[in-house]
Amino acid sequence: MRVRFAPSPSGQLHVGNARTALFNWLLARGSGGAFILRIEDTDVERSTPESEATIFRDMRWLGLDWDEGPDVGGARGPYRASERLHLYQSYATELLNAGAAYYCFCSTERLEEERRAAVAAGRPALYAGTCRQIPPREAEARIHAGQPAAVRFRVPENREVVFTDVVRGDVRFHTDVIGDPVIMRPGGMPAYNFAVVIDDALMAVTHVVRGEDHISNTPRQILMYEALGFPLPEFAHLAIVLGPDHTKLSKRHGATSVAERRLKGYLPEALVNYLALIGWSPGGGDELLPIHELAKRFSLSDVVSAAGVFDEEKLAWVNRHYLKMAEPARLAELTLPFFRAAGFEMAPDAIGVEFLASVVPVASGVVDRLDQVPARLSFLFAYDPAMALTDEHVRGEMRAEGARSVVHALAEVLAGAPRLDRDGFRAAANEVKAKTGQKGKALFHPIRVALTGRTEGPELDLAIPAIDRGAELPPDAGLPKILGCRERAAAFVQSLG
Ligand code: GLU
């Protein structure tokens, strides 16, 4: 099995296209076949090298590696359409010589006029066939005289093109509704419908798996395969991905590119797993499976033909699962850009990373995305009691009966205590309880407020030891300074006045 993903490099990798790439990848990896990345960059106006680079980057980030492609090469390259122009030219000549294609000298204005007239008359806007009957020798003479011309494919009359789409079943088109398509533009660039046939055939692609927006192109392509004597591949058209309002997923629905998802803190394995579940189910009752397991189970015939809706809640659920599974050290590295974006200067060394790895799971187990982690851990790096005391919630907690006595007792107890681990914290809390007679919320709320500067946050059993481990970090660990609990309690009392 040889499959391909053939993006046009004109913008970011859209999640819908990433799903197409993923399904191709799953097929290749599940069957021991080859996955080809081909860049369709013949639309000179819209194609950019930057876009190509972002496609490579995002595919790699998702873990969708390719066996053949512009950067890795392969036996059937080149893998950039713009480097294959000689091939398109030579096959176009072959079709011209066989009479299966002809030169078209119609001007853009004329074609546009015809199109408008057809639409006004309620007819399909097909090419009128003006240049179909020009004798080849006359056409050659006009070309030699320098007249600009496109090359059109001669669509056979009165035929039905039928193919069995792996996802959608039998699909039929009558050639009456297919106008002769341009295959080479006047400037020498191929049209998509032509280039894709040459490329898929010469690259020996066995299964063309792509978005259903290409279904009406398929009969044209099949006719070209026939005219060129190429064997037909299987076709599978994947239903489009819709937004929650059941219109095509677009910017209006939020983050539509893979890059935006990465920047919001989704893990690649979560996005991959989620995308695989749009329109397909691995069966066996489990949906949360690593990519290689998905590949083992994937089958095109199980892909549904109905459109899938992009479900943010489900993606969040899948991401939470992978956040809980991820290695702490990896999470620490992945979270750094989010801390920096939140204004924390961080360039941790090995010790700093080790510390972050010990604290990030405290937050990553309860958030949907990595971009929510810094806010949950800011109590470590940004402690400011005077500022905290300007917050209405904090003031409210401190107005509660006995709250001030708890905080004073805490400062006294901690003044002589070593750094707190979990047991040390429990012992200190018990001492405060004995000194003040406060317990439960009346004890722990003021303690939380005094030691974290916040009314909410992770369990104190986790938060407090984290603060005091942080306080022991060497100054050159590359993290913002963390004030210890002893110092925090004293500072809080002072700020209380
Ligand atoms: N460049 C086309 C697209 O991005 C590829 C279509 C195909 O796979 O044939 O839609």
Side-chain angles (χ1 to χ4, degrees):
M1 175 178 279
R2 288 174 60 80
V3 293
R4 82 325 188 255
F5 175 55
S8 307
S10 56
Q12 295 282 341
L13 181 62
H14 184 277
V15 288
N17 288 338
R19 170 169 160 272
T20 302
L22 171 63
F23 280 17
N24 277 288
W25 187 95
L26 293 173
L27 275 175
R29 295 295 171 258
S31 68
F35 177 54
I36 304 163
L37 176 61
R38 183 173 73 227
I39 297 293
E40 292 195 339
D41 59 349
T42 50
D43 184 341
V44 201
E45 263 157 36
R46 301 183 57 215
S47 302
T48 66
E50 293 76 25
S51 165
E52 182 186 290
T54 65
I55 292 170
F56 287 4
R57 178 199 62 200
D58 293 342
M59 297 264 296
R60 289 211 177 86
W61 179 71
L62 290 169
L64 306 180
D65 58 332
W66 48 97
D67 307 299
E68 298 169 36
D71 54 338
V72 297
R76 292 171 184 272
Y79 294 91
R80 240 181 232 109
S82 59
E83 293 163 17
R84 302 173 63 79
L85 301 182
H86 57 293
L87 294 167
Y88 311 131
Q89 196 60 64
S90 111
Y91 282 98
T93 306
E94 186 181 318
L95 290 178
L96 282 166
N97 290 341
Y102 58 90
Y103 287 112
C104 172
F105 300 93
C106 296
S107 67
T108 336
E109 295 74 34
R110 176 185 183 132
L111 293 171
E112 183 50 31
E113 228 167 82
E114 285 177 7
R115 198 191 62 81
R116 267 203 301 265
V119 171
R123 282 181 280 118
L126 306 179
Y127 176 58
T130 320
C131 297
R132 252 191 165 219
Q133 307 309 339
I134 299 178
R137 290 188 46 190
E138 183 191 325
E140 288 294 339
R142 289 167 75 171
I143 293 291
H144 282 299
Q147 231 183 302
V151 179
R152 280 187 193 271
F153 181 73
R154 195 185 295 277
V155 171
E157 277 162 63
N158 202 19
R159 256 198 59 191
E160 192 162 51
V161 182
V162 185
F163 64 97
T164 304
D165 188 279
V166 185
V167 172
R168 308 168 63 99
D170 283 356
V171 180
R172 287 161 197 280
F173 282 92
H174 201 277
T175 54
D176 285 359
V177 298
I178 307 174
D180 291 349
V182 167
I183 59 174
M184 294 295 285
R185 302 188 193 291
M189 279 298 195
Y192 156 73
N193 272 313
F194 185 54
V196 74
V197 169
I198 308 293
D199 293 344
D200 285 339
L202 298 187
M203 292 179 187
V205 168
T206 59
H207 294 69
V208 169
V209 181
R210 61 186 169 199
E212 71 178 349
D213 44 328
H214 288 291
I215 199 138
S216 63
N217 285 323
T218 308
R220 291 172 179 76
Q221 295 173 13
I222 287 175
L223 292 168
M224 292 182 210
Y225 274 95
E226 287 178 6
L228 291 162
F230 291 141
L232 278 182
E234 298 277 353
F235 290 98
H237 288 91
L238 306 173
I240 224 117
V241 180
L242 303 178
D245 59 354
H246 290 245
T247 63
K248 188 175 171 178
L249 187 66
S250 75
K251 282 266 164 258
R252 285 179 299 113
H253 300 111
T256 48
S257 71
V258 170
E260 284 169 291
R261 295 287 166 179
R262 179 180 60 244
L263 295 174
K264 278 175 157 262
Y266 291 91
L267 294 176
E269 61 270 38
L271 194 52
V272 155
N273 195 158
Y274 173 68
L275 290 176
L277 302 177
I278 305 180
W280 176 70
S281 158
D286 29 278
E287 295 195 290
L288 298 171
L289 295 167
I291 192 167
H292 290 283
E293 186 57 34
L294 295 172
K296 267 192 228 156
R297 301 195 192 189
F298 187 75
S299 153
L300 265 186
S301 50
D302 296 336
V303 173
V304 302
S305 57
V309 173
F310 198 92
D311 181 345
E312 286 290 345
E313 260 316 302
K314 186 161 182 181
L315 172 59
W317 170 70
V318 176
N319 205 46
R320 284 197 296 274
H321 167 78
Y322 285 101
L323 283 172
K324 290 196 188 89
M325 307 258 295
E327 284 293 330
R330 175 177 170 229
L331 285 178
E333 292 288 356
L334 289 177
T335 316
L336 280 177
F338 297 101
F339 273 113
R340 292 189 192 117
F344 295 102
E345 270 182 46
M346 292 194 180
D349 65 2
I351 294 176
V353 169
E354 199 184 315
F355 173 73
L356 276 183
S358 77
V359 295
V360 166
V362 169
S364 60
V366 296
V367 296
D368 289 346
R369 305 183 306 268
L370 288 173
D371 68 347
Q372 297 162 330
V373 168
R376 305 266 323 165
L377 294 181
S378 63
F379 72 92
L380 287 168
F381 306 106
Y383 174 79
D384 181 341
M387 182 77 125
L389 283 163
T390 64
D391 178 275
E392 227 0 88
H393 302 279
V394 170
R395 293 163 78 99
E397 296 277 10
M398 291 314 300
R399 277 195 293 268
E401 174 92 31
R404 290 175 77 98
S405 71
V406 166
V407 170
H408 278 102
L410 178 69
E412 275 166 39
V413 168
L414 294 190
R419 294 288 176 211
L420 301 174
D421 56 12
R422 183 190 288 236
D423 291 340
F425 169 59
R426 289 192 178 163
N430 274 332
E431 259 185 80
V432 175
K433 180 178 175 182
K435 275 181 183 253
T436 60
Q438 303 291 348
K439 54 180 202 248
K441 283 184 187 168
L443 175 67
F444 287 106
H445 280 199
I447 292 181
R448 174 183 293 282
V449 165
L451 297 185
T452 70
R454 286 143 180 82
T455 51
E456 280 164 15
E459 271 175 65
L460 288 176
D461 269 358
L462 298 172
I464 301 306
I467 293 171
D468 270 2
R469 267 185 287 120
E472 291 295 295
L473 284 173
D476 58 356
L479 294 176
K481 182 175 165 42
I482 296 174
L483 199 63
C485 290
R486 183 196 309 134
E487 295 80 358
R488 288 182 182 209
F492 197 83
V493 165
Q494 201 168 35
S495 294
L496 266 181

PDB file of all heavy atoms in Angstrom, residues 4-9 17 20 24 38-40 192 196 200 208-211 213-214 217 221 237, ligand 1:
ATOM      1  N   ARG A   4      -0.546   8.882   0.194  1.00  0.00           N
ATOM      2  CA  ARG A   4       0.137  10.174   0.221  1.00  0.00           C
ATOM      3  C   ARG A   4      -0.749  11.227   0.852  1.00  0.00           C
ATOM      4  O   ARG A   4      -1.969  11.129   0.897  1.00  0.00           O
ATOM      5  CB  ARG A   4       0.589  10.547  -1.179  1.00  0.00           C
ATOM      6  CG  ARG A   4      -0.386  11.179  -2.173  1.00  0.00           C
ATOM      7  CD  ARG A   4      -1.794  10.765  -2.162  1.00  0.00           C
ATOM      8  NE  ARG A   4      -2.564  11.283  -3.258  1.00  0.00           N
ATOM      9  CZ  ARG A   4      -3.465  12.296  -3.166  1.00  0.00           C
ATOM     10  NH1 ARG A   4      -3.704  12.883  -2.013  1.00  0.00           N
ATOM     11  NH2 ARG A   4      -4.135  12.687  -4.223  1.00  0.00           N
ATOM     12  N   PHE A   5      -0.076  12.260   1.350  1.00  0.00           N
ATOM     13  CA  PHE A   5      -0.754  13.480   1.789  1.00  0.00           C
ATOM     14  C   PHE A   5      -0.161  14.573   0.911  1.00  0.00           C
ATOM     15  O   PHE A   5       1.057  14.652   0.772  1.00  0.00           O
ATOM     16  CB  PHE A   5      -0.476  13.722   3.271  1.00  0.00           C
ATOM     17  CG  PHE A   5      -1.037  15.012   3.797  1.00  0.00           C
ATOM     18  CD1 PHE A   5      -2.386  15.320   3.654  1.00  0.00           C
ATOM     19  CD2 PHE A   5      -0.204  15.935   4.445  1.00  0.00           C
ATOM     20  CE1 PHE A   5      -2.903  16.520   4.136  1.00  0.00           C
ATOM     21  CE2 PHE A   5      -0.726  17.131   4.939  1.00  0.00           C
ATOM     22  CZ  PHE A   5      -2.061  17.416   4.769  1.00  0.00           C
ATOM     23  N   ALA A   6      -1.038  15.369   0.304  1.00  0.00           N
ATOM     24  CA  ALA A   6      -0.560  16.300  -0.726  1.00  0.00           C
ATOM     25  C   ALA A   6      -1.036  17.720  -0.468  1.00  0.00           C
ATOM     26  O   ALA A   6      -1.865  18.251  -1.195  1.00  0.00           O
ATOM     27  CB  ALA A   6      -1.030  15.816  -2.098  1.00  0.00           C
ATOM     28  N   PRO A   7      -0.537  18.329   0.594  1.00  0.00           N
ATOM     29  CA  PRO A   7      -1.029  19.678   0.913  1.00  0.00           C
ATOM     30  C   PRO A   7      -0.523  20.735  -0.063  1.00  0.00           C
ATOM     31  O   PRO A   7       0.550  20.589  -0.648  1.00  0.00           O
ATOM     32  CB  PRO A   7      -0.437  19.932   2.306  1.00  0.00           C
ATOM     33  CG  PRO A   7       0.822  19.130   2.324  1.00  0.00           C
ATOM     34  CD  PRO A   7       0.531  17.892   1.517  1.00  0.00           C
ATOM     35  N   SER A   8      -1.316  21.784  -0.220  1.00  0.00           N
ATOM     36  CA  SER A   8      -0.855  22.972  -0.937  1.00  0.00           C
ATOM     37  C   SER A   8      -0.274  23.903   0.125  1.00  0.00           C
ATOM     38  O   SER A   8      -0.942  24.190   1.114  1.00  0.00           O
ATOM     39  CB  SER A   8      -2.021  23.653  -1.631  1.00  0.00           C
ATOM     40  OG  SER A   8      -2.695  22.707  -2.433  1.00  0.00           O
ATOM     41  N   PRO A   9       0.957  24.358  -0.056  1.00  0.00           N
ATOM     42  CA  PRO A   9       1.602  25.157   0.991  1.00  0.00           C
ATOM     43  C   PRO A   9       1.143  26.605   0.962  1.00  0.00           C
ATOM     44  O   PRO A   9       1.880  27.496   0.578  1.00  0.00           O
ATOM     45  CB  PRO A   9       3.089  25.027   0.662  1.00  0.00           C
ATOM     46  CG  PRO A   9       3.105  24.870  -0.825  1.00  0.00           C
ATOM     47  CD  PRO A   9       1.841  24.138  -1.207  1.00  0.00           C
ATOM     48  N   ASN A  17      -7.162  18.988   7.597  1.00  0.00           N
ATOM     49  CA  ASN A  17      -6.135  18.389   6.743  1.00  0.00           C
ATOM     50  C   ASN A  17      -5.220  17.477   7.549  1.00  0.00           C
ATOM     51  O   ASN A  17      -4.750  16.459   7.044  1.00  0.00           O
ATOM     52  CB  ASN A  17      -5.302  19.474   6.059  1.00  0.00           C
ATOM     53  CG  ASN A  17      -6.089  20.179   4.977  1.00  0.00           C
ATOM     54  OD1 ASN A  17      -7.068  19.636   4.458  1.00  0.00           O
ATOM     55  ND2 ASN A  17      -5.688  21.380   4.654  1.00  0.00           N
ATOM     56  N   THR A  20      -6.768  14.218   7.622  1.00  0.00           N
ATOM     57  CA  THR A  20      -6.537  13.493   6.364  1.00  0.00           C
ATOM     58  C   THR A  20      -5.127  12.888   6.355  1.00  0.00           C
ATOM     59  O   THR A  20      -4.942  11.724   5.994  1.00  0.00           O
ATOM     60  CB  THR A  20      -6.700  14.460   5.173  1.00  0.00           C
ATOM     61  OG1 THR A  20      -8.010  15.025   5.220  1.00  0.00           O
ATOM     62  CG2 THR A  20      -6.501  13.748   3.856  1.00  0.00           C
ATOM     63  N   ASN A  24      -4.117   8.750   6.406  1.00  0.00           N
ATOM     64  CA  ASN A  24      -3.162   8.165   5.460  1.00  0.00           C
ATOM     65  C   ASN A  24      -2.000   7.500   6.200  1.00  0.00           C
ATOM     66  O   ASN A  24      -1.584   6.395   5.874  1.00  0.00           O
ATOM     67  CB  ASN A  24      -2.636   9.251   4.505  1.00  0.00           C
ATOM     68  CG  ASN A  24      -3.579   9.491   3.336  1.00  0.00           C
ATOM     69  OD1 ASN A  24      -3.691   8.665   2.435  1.00  0.00           O
ATOM     70  ND2 ASN A  24      -4.279  10.609   3.356  1.00  0.00           N
ATOM     71  N   ARG A  38       3.764  14.943  -0.354  1.00  0.00           N
ATOM     72  CA  ARG A  38       3.995  15.640  -1.622  1.00  0.00           C
ATOM     73  C   ARG A  38       3.470  17.065  -1.497  1.00  0.00           C
ATOM     74  O   ARG A  38       2.360  17.276  -1.011  1.00  0.00           O
ATOM     75  CB  ARG A  38       3.272  14.921  -2.751  1.00  0.00           C
ATOM     76  CG  ARG A  38       3.532  15.549  -4.102  1.00  0.00           C
ATOM     77  CD  ARG A  38       2.955  14.734  -5.222  1.00  0.00           C
ATOM     78  NE  ARG A  38       1.507  14.816  -5.285  1.00  0.00           N
ATOM     79  CZ  ARG A  38       0.688  13.775  -5.424  1.00  0.00           C
ATOM     80  NH1 ARG A  38       1.161  12.549  -5.465  1.00  0.00           N
ATOM     81  NH2 ARG A  38      -0.609  13.945  -5.481  1.00  0.00           N
ATOM     82  N   ILE A  39       4.272  17.999  -1.907  1.00  0.00           N
ATOM     83  CA  ILE A  39       3.872  19.404  -1.786  1.00  0.00           C
ATOM     84  C   ILE A  39       3.317  19.883  -3.128  1.00  0.00           C
ATOM     85  O   ILE A  39       4.014  19.856  -4.136  1.00  0.00           O
ATOM     86  CB  ILE A  39       5.093  20.263  -1.352  1.00  0.00           C
ATOM     87  CG1 ILE A  39       5.580  19.828   0.041  1.00  0.00           C
ATOM     88  CG2 ILE A  39       4.752  21.741  -1.362  1.00  0.00           C
ATOM     89  CD1 ILE A  39       4.617  20.116   1.182  1.00  0.00           C
ATOM     90  N   GLU A  40       2.053  20.271  -3.131  1.00  0.00           N
ATOM     91  CA  GLU A  40       1.403  20.729  -4.369  1.00  0.00           C
ATOM     92  C   GLU A  40       1.476  22.246  -4.457  1.00  0.00           C
ATOM     93  O   GLU A  40       0.554  22.959  -4.069  1.00  0.00           O
ATOM     94  CB  GLU A  40      -0.044  20.212  -4.403  1.00  0.00           C
ATOM     95  CG  GLU A  40      -0.042  18.706  -4.550  1.00  0.00           C
ATOM     96  CD  GLU A  40      -1.376  18.095  -4.953  1.00  0.00           C
ATOM     97  OE1 GLU A  40      -2.421  18.744  -4.753  1.00  0.00           O
ATOM     98  OE2 GLU A  40      -1.358  16.956  -5.438  1.00  0.00           O
ATOM     99  N   TYR A 192      -4.408  21.522 -11.096  1.00  0.00           N
ATOM    100  CA  TYR A 192      -4.404  20.500 -10.048  1.00  0.00           C
ATOM    101  C   TYR A 192      -4.853  19.136 -10.555  1.00  0.00           C
ATOM    102  O   TYR A 192      -4.195  18.116 -10.332  1.00  0.00           O
ATOM    103  CB  TYR A 192      -5.283  20.951  -8.869  1.00  0.00           C
ATOM    104  CG  TYR A 192      -5.797  19.783  -8.057  1.00  0.00           C
ATOM    105  CD1 TYR A 192      -4.941  19.077  -7.216  1.00  0.00           C
ATOM    106  CD2 TYR A 192      -7.115  19.352  -8.167  1.00  0.00           C
ATOM    107  CE1 TYR A 192      -5.387  17.965  -6.510  1.00  0.00           C
ATOM    108  CE2 TYR A 192      -7.571  18.250  -7.471  1.00  0.00           C
ATOM    109  CZ  TYR A 192      -6.711  17.556  -6.637  1.00  0.00           C
ATOM    110  OH  TYR A 192      -7.149  16.459  -5.961  1.00  0.00           O
ATOM    111  N   VAL A 196      -2.179  16.064 -10.283  1.00  0.00           N
ATOM    112  CA  VAL A 196      -2.408  15.056  -9.247  1.00  0.00           C
ATOM    113  C   VAL A 196      -2.445  13.657  -9.865  1.00  0.00           C
ATOM    114  O   VAL A 196      -1.986  12.683  -9.261  1.00  0.00           O
ATOM    115  CB  VAL A 196      -3.706  15.390  -8.454  1.00  0.00           C
ATOM    116  CG1 VAL A 196      -4.955  15.100  -9.267  1.00  0.00           C
ATOM    117  CG2 VAL A 196      -3.759  14.648  -7.131  1.00  0.00           C
ATOM    118  N   ASP A 200       0.241  10.987  -8.727  1.00  0.00           N
ATOM    119  CA  ASP A 200      -0.201   9.765  -8.046  1.00  0.00           C
ATOM    120  C   ASP A 200       0.186   8.533  -8.861  1.00  0.00           C
ATOM    121  O   ASP A 200       0.608   7.515  -8.300  1.00  0.00           O
ATOM    122  CB  ASP A 200      -1.720   9.804  -7.796  1.00  0.00           C
ATOM    123  CG  ASP A 200      -2.084  10.747  -6.640  1.00  0.00           C
ATOM    124  OD1 ASP A 200      -1.191  11.023  -5.808  1.00  0.00           O
ATOM    125  OD2 ASP A 200      -3.233  11.205  -6.574  1.00  0.00           O
ATOM    126  N   VAL A 208      -5.849   6.727  -2.879  1.00  0.00           N
ATOM    127  CA  VAL A 208      -5.942   8.178  -2.784  1.00  0.00           C
ATOM    128  C   VAL A 208      -6.983   8.488  -1.708  1.00  0.00           C
ATOM    129  O   VAL A 208      -8.174   8.261  -1.901  1.00  0.00           O
ATOM    130  CB  VAL A 208      -6.349   8.791  -4.141  1.00  0.00           C
ATOM    131  CG1 VAL A 208      -6.699  10.257  -3.994  1.00  0.00           C
ATOM    132  CG2 VAL A 208      -5.226   8.602  -5.163  1.00  0.00           C
ATOM    133  N   VAL A 209      -6.493   8.952  -0.562  1.00  0.00           N
ATOM    134  CA  VAL A 209      -7.384   9.224   0.565  1.00  0.00           C
ATOM    135  C   VAL A 209      -7.326  10.713   0.823  1.00  0.00           C
ATOM    136  O   VAL A 209      -6.260  11.254   1.140  1.00  0.00           O
ATOM    137  CB  VAL A 209      -6.923   8.444   1.823  1.00  0.00           C
ATOM    138  CG1 VAL A 209      -7.857   8.705   2.989  1.00  0.00           C
ATOM    139  CG2 VAL A 209      -6.833   6.958   1.511  1.00  0.00           C
ATOM    140  N   ARG A 210      -8.450  11.401   0.660  1.00  0.00           N
ATOM    141  CA  ARG A 210      -8.432  12.860   0.754  1.00  0.00           C
ATOM    142  C   ARG A 210      -9.810  13.367   1.150  1.00  0.00           C
ATOM    143  O   ARG A 210     -10.741  12.588   1.338  1.00  0.00           O
ATOM    144  CB  ARG A 210      -7.995  13.452  -0.589  1.00  0.00           C
ATOM    145  CG  ARG A 210      -8.940  13.080  -1.724  1.00  0.00           C
ATOM    146  CD  ARG A 210      -8.415  13.544  -3.066  1.00  0.00           C
ATOM    147  NE  ARG A 210      -9.182  12.980  -4.165  1.00  0.00           N
ATOM    148  CZ  ARG A 210      -8.757  12.916  -5.411  1.00  0.00           C
ATOM    149  NH1 ARG A 210      -7.568  13.382  -5.736  1.00  0.00           N
ATOM    150  NH2 ARG A 210      -9.523  12.382  -6.351  1.00  0.00           N
ATOM    151  N   GLY A 211      -9.925  14.687   1.245  1.00  0.00           N
ATOM    152  CA  GLY A 211     -11.173  15.294   1.684  1.00  0.00           C
ATOM    153  C   GLY A 211     -12.265  15.176   0.628  1.00  0.00           C
ATOM    154  O   GLY A 211     -11.982  15.122  -0.575  1.00  0.00           O
ATOM    155  N   ASP A 213     -14.167  17.254  -0.476  1.00  0.00           N
ATOM    156  CA  ASP A 213     -14.275  18.381  -1.402  1.00  0.00           C
ATOM    157  C   ASP A 213     -13.679  18.024  -2.765  1.00  0.00           C
ATOM    158  O   ASP A 213     -13.886  18.746  -3.736  1.00  0.00           O
ATOM    159  CB  ASP A 213     -13.624  19.648  -0.815  1.00  0.00           C
ATOM    160  CG  ASP A 213     -12.281  19.380  -0.157  1.00  0.00           C
ATOM    161  OD1 ASP A 213     -12.105  18.276   0.400  1.00  0.00           O
ATOM    162  OD2 ASP A 213     -11.408  20.260  -0.203  1.00  0.00           O
ATOM    163  N   HIS A 214     -12.962  16.916  -2.846  1.00  0.00           N
ATOM    164  CA  HIS A 214     -12.375  16.519  -4.135  1.00  0.00           C
ATOM    165  C   HIS A 214     -13.193  15.471  -4.871  1.00  0.00           C
ATOM    166  O   HIS A 214     -12.773  14.981  -5.911  1.00  0.00           O
ATOM    167  CB  HIS A 214     -10.950  16.025  -3.919  1.00  0.00           C
ATOM    168  CG  HIS A 214     -10.006  17.138  -3.586  1.00  0.00           C
ATOM    169  ND1 HIS A 214      -9.640  18.098  -4.501  1.00  0.00           N
ATOM    170  CD2 HIS A 214      -9.399  17.494  -2.422  1.00  0.00           C
ATOM    171  CE1 HIS A 214      -8.833  18.967  -3.928  1.00  0.00           C
ATOM    172  NE2 HIS A 214      -8.679  18.633  -2.663  1.00  0.00           N
ATOM    173  N   ASN A 217     -13.941  16.147  -8.435  1.00  0.00           N
ATOM    174  CA  ASN A 217     -12.753  16.141  -9.297  1.00  0.00           C
ATOM    175  C   ASN A 217     -12.417  14.731  -9.755  1.00  0.00           C
ATOM    176  O   ASN A 217     -11.738  14.546 -10.771  1.00  0.00           O
ATOM    177  CB  ASN A 217     -11.540  16.682  -8.523  1.00  0.00           C
ATOM    178  CG  ASN A 217     -11.594  18.188  -8.353  1.00  0.00           C
ATOM    179  OD1 ASN A 217     -12.029  18.894  -9.254  1.00  0.00           O
ATOM    180  ND2 ASN A 217     -11.172  18.676  -7.206  1.00  0.00           N
ATOM    181  N   GLN A 221     -10.386  13.076 -13.062  1.00  0.00           N
ATOM    182  CA  GLN A 221      -9.075  12.429 -12.894  1.00  0.00           C
ATOM    183  C   GLN A 221      -9.099  11.002 -13.440  1.00  0.00           C
ATOM    184  O   GLN A 221      -8.148  10.567 -14.091  1.00  0.00           O
ATOM    185  CB  GLN A 221      -8.675  12.461 -11.412  1.00  0.00           C
ATOM    186  CG  GLN A 221      -8.449  13.901 -10.918  1.00  0.00           C
ATOM    187  CD  GLN A 221      -8.205  13.999  -9.421  1.00  0.00           C
ATOM    188  OE1 GLN A 221      -7.956  12.997  -8.753  1.00  0.00           O
ATOM    189  NE2 GLN A 221      -8.296  15.208  -8.884  1.00  0.00           N
ATOM    190  N   HIS A 237     -12.893   9.131  -0.012  1.00  0.00           N
ATOM    191  CA  HIS A 237     -13.117  10.545   0.304  1.00  0.00           C
ATOM    192  C   HIS A 237     -13.666  10.684   1.706  1.00  0.00           C
ATOM    193  O   HIS A 237     -14.711  10.122   2.036  1.00  0.00           O
ATOM    194  CB  HIS A 237     -14.017  11.185  -0.751  1.00  0.00           C
ATOM    195  CG  HIS A 237     -13.299  11.378  -2.051  1.00  0.00           C
ATOM    196  ND1 HIS A 237     -13.304  10.430  -3.052  1.00  0.00           N
ATOM    197  CD2 HIS A 237     -12.497  12.386  -2.484  1.00  0.00           C
ATOM    198  CE1 HIS A 237     -12.551  10.871  -4.058  1.00  0.00           C
ATOM    199  NE2 HIS A 237     -12.052  12.048  -3.742  1.00  0.00           N
TER     200      HIS A 237
HETATM  201  N1  GLU B   1      -3.533  19.915  -2.702  1.00  0.00           N
HETATM  202  C1  GLU B   1      -4.826  19.310  -2.603  1.00  0.00           C
HETATM  203  C2  GLU B   1      -5.496  19.795  -1.319  1.00  0.00           C
HETATM  204  O1  GLU B   1      -4.789  20.216  -0.427  1.00  0.00           O
HETATM  205  C3  GLU B   1      -4.672  17.806  -2.578  1.00  0.00           C
HETATM  206  C4  GLU B   1      -5.893  17.079  -2.974  1.00  0.00           C
HETATM  207  C5  GLU B   1      -5.615  15.605  -3.143  1.00  0.00           C
HETATM  208  O2  GLU B   1      -5.250  14.991  -2.134  1.00  0.00           O
HETATM  209  O3  GLU B   1      -5.742  15.109  -4.246  1.00  0.00           O
HETATM  210  O4  GLU B   1      -6.694  19.795  -1.214  1.00  0.00           O
END
